mmCIF file with all atom_site columns, all heavy atoms in Angstrom:
data_model
loop_
_atom_site.group_PDB
_atom_site.id
_atom_site.type_symbol
_atom_site.label_atom_id
_atom_site.label_alt_id
_atom_site.label_comp_id
_atom_site.label_asym_id
_atom_site.label_entity_id
_atom_site.label_seq_id
_atom_site.pdbx_PDB_ins_code
_atom_site.Cartn_x
_atom_site.Cartn_y
_atom_site.Cartn_z
_atom_site.occupancy
_atom_site.B_iso_or_equiv
_atom_site.pdbx_formal_charge
_atom_site.auth_seq_id
_atom_site.auth_comp_id
_atom_site.auth_asym_id
_atom_site.auth_atom_id
_atom_site.pdbx_PDB_model_num
ATOM 1  N N   . THR A 1 198 ? 21.053 3.511  5.696  1.00 97.00 ? 198 THR A N   1
ATOM 2  C CA  . THR A 1 198 ? 21.729 4.643  5.060  1.00 97.00 ? 198 THR A CA  1
ATOM 3  C C   . THR A 1 198 ? 20.821 5.383  4.085  1.00 97.00 ? 198 THR A C   1
ATOM 4  O O   . THR A 1 198 ? 19.947 4.773  3.449  1.00 97.00 ? 198 THR A O   1
ATOM 5  C CB  . THR A 1 198 ? 23.014 4.203  4.328  1.00 97.00 ? 198 THR A CB  1
ATOM 6  O OG1 . THR A 1 198 ? 23.774 5.387  4.036  1.00 97.00 ? 198 THR A OG1 1
ATOM 7  C CG2 . THR A 1 198 ? 22.700 3.473  3.024  1.00 97.00 ? 198 THR A CG2 1
ATOM 8  N N   . ILE A 1 199 ? 21.028 6.672  4.002  1.00 97.00 ? 199 ILE A N   1
ATOM 9  C CA  . ILE A 1 199 ? 20.339 7.483  3.008  1.00 97.00 ? 199 ILE A CA  1
ATOM 10 C C   . ILE A 1 199 ? 21.336 7.965  1.953  1.00 97.00 ? 199 ILE A C   1
ATOM 11 O O   . ILE A 1 199 ? 20.970 8.748  1.068  1.00 97.00 ? 199 ILE A O   1
ATOM 12 C CB  . ILE A 1 199 ? 19.652 8.701  3.641  1.00 97.00 ? 199 ILE A CB  1
ATOM 13 C CG1 . ILE A 1 199 ? 20.588 9.472  4.570  1.00 97.00 ? 199 ILE A CG1 1
ATOM 14 C CG2 . ILE A 1 199 ? 18.423 8.289  4.443  1.00 97.00 ? 199 ILE A CG2 1
ATOM 15 C CD1 . ILE A 1 199 ? 21.639 10.317 3.949  1.00 97.00 ? 199 ILE A CD1 1
ATOM 16 N N   . ASN A 1 200 ? 22.558 7.492  2.043  1.00 98.00 ? 200 ASN A N   1
ATOM 17 C CA  . ASN A 1 200 ? 23.591 7.913  1.099  1.00 98.00 ? 200 ASN A CA  1
ATOM 18 C C   . ASN A 1 200 ? 23.600 6.957  -0.094 1.00 98.00 ? 200 ASN A C   1
ATOM 19 O O   . ASN A 1 200 ? 23.939 5.770  0.044  1.00 98.00 ? 200 ASN A O   1
ATOM 20 C CB  . ASN A 1 200 ? 24.948 7.915  1.822  1.00 98.00 ? 200 ASN A CB  1
ATOM 21 C CG  . ASN A 1 200 ? 26.072 8.392  0.920  1.00 98.00 ? 200 ASN A CG  1
ATOM 22 O OD1 . ASN A 1 200 ? 26.432 7.728  -0.045 1.00 98.00 ? 200 ASN A OD1 1
ATOM 23 N ND2 . ASN A 1 200 ? 26.615 9.567  1.225  1.00 98.00 ? 200 ASN A ND2 1
ATOM 24 N N   . GLY A 1 201 ? 23.210 7.470  -1.250 1.00 98.00 ? 201 GLY A N   1
ATOM 25 C CA  . GLY A 1 201 ? 23.094 6.624  -2.436 1.00 98.00 ? 201 GLY A CA  1
ATOM 26 C C   . GLY A 1 201 ? 24.400 5.958  -2.830 1.00 98.00 ? 201 GLY A C   1
ATOM 27 O O   . GLY A 1 201 ? 24.412 4.815  -3.297 1.00 98.00 ? 201 GLY A O   1
ATOM 28 N N   . SER A 1 202 ? 25.515 6.652  -2.645 1.00 98.00 ? 202 SER A N   1
ATOM 29 C CA  . SER A 1 202 ? 26.801 6.052  -2.999 1.00 98.00 ? 202 SER A CA  1
ATOM 30 C C   . SER A 1 202 ? 27.092 4.851  -2.116 1.00 98.00 ? 202 SER A C   1
ATOM 31 O O   . SER A 1 202 ? 27.547 3.802  -2.582 1.00 98.00 ? 202 SER A O   1
ATOM 32 C CB  . SER A 1 202 ? 27.920 7.084  -2.841 1.00 98.00 ? 202 SER A CB  1
ATOM 33 O OG  . SER A 1 202 ? 27.745 8.145  -3.754 1.00 98.00 ? 202 SER A OG  1
ATOM 34 N N   . LEU A 1 203 ? 26.823 5.009  -0.833 1.00 98.00 ? 203 LEU A N   1
ATOM 35 C CA  . LEU A 1 203 ? 27.072 3.928  0.111  1.00 98.00 ? 203 LEU A CA  1
ATOM 36 C C   . LEU A 1 203 ? 26.106 2.775  -0.147 1.00 98.00 ? 203 LEU A C   1
ATOM 37 O O   . LEU A 1 203 ? 26.500 1.597  -0.177 1.00 98.00 ? 203 LEU A O   1
ATOM 38 C CB  . LEU A 1 203 ? 26.898 4.477  1.532  1.00 98.00 ? 203 LEU A CB  1
ATOM 39 C CG  . LEU A 1 203 ? 27.471 3.686  2.704  1.00 98.00 ? 203 LEU A CG  1
ATOM 40 C CD1 . LEU A 1 203 ? 28.932 3.348  2.499  1.00 98.00 ? 203 LEU A CD1 1
ATOM 41 C CD2 . LEU A 1 203 ? 27.288 4.488  3.993  1.00 98.00 ? 203 LEU A CD2 1
ATOM 42 N N   . GLY A 1 204 ? 24.861 3.116  -0.361 1.00 98.00 ? 204 GLY A N   1
ATOM 43 C CA  . GLY A 1 204 ? 23.874 2.076  -0.635 1.00 98.00 ? 204 GLY A CA  1
ATOM 44 C C   . GLY A 1 204 ? 24.204 1.311  -1.899 1.00 98.00 ? 204 GLY A C   1
ATOM 45 O O   . GLY A 1 204 ? 24.080 0.077  -1.943 1.00 98.00 ? 204 GLY A O   1
#
Side-chain angles (χ1 to χ4, degrees):
Chain A
T198 194
I199 49 75
N200 182 293
S202 296
L203 197 52

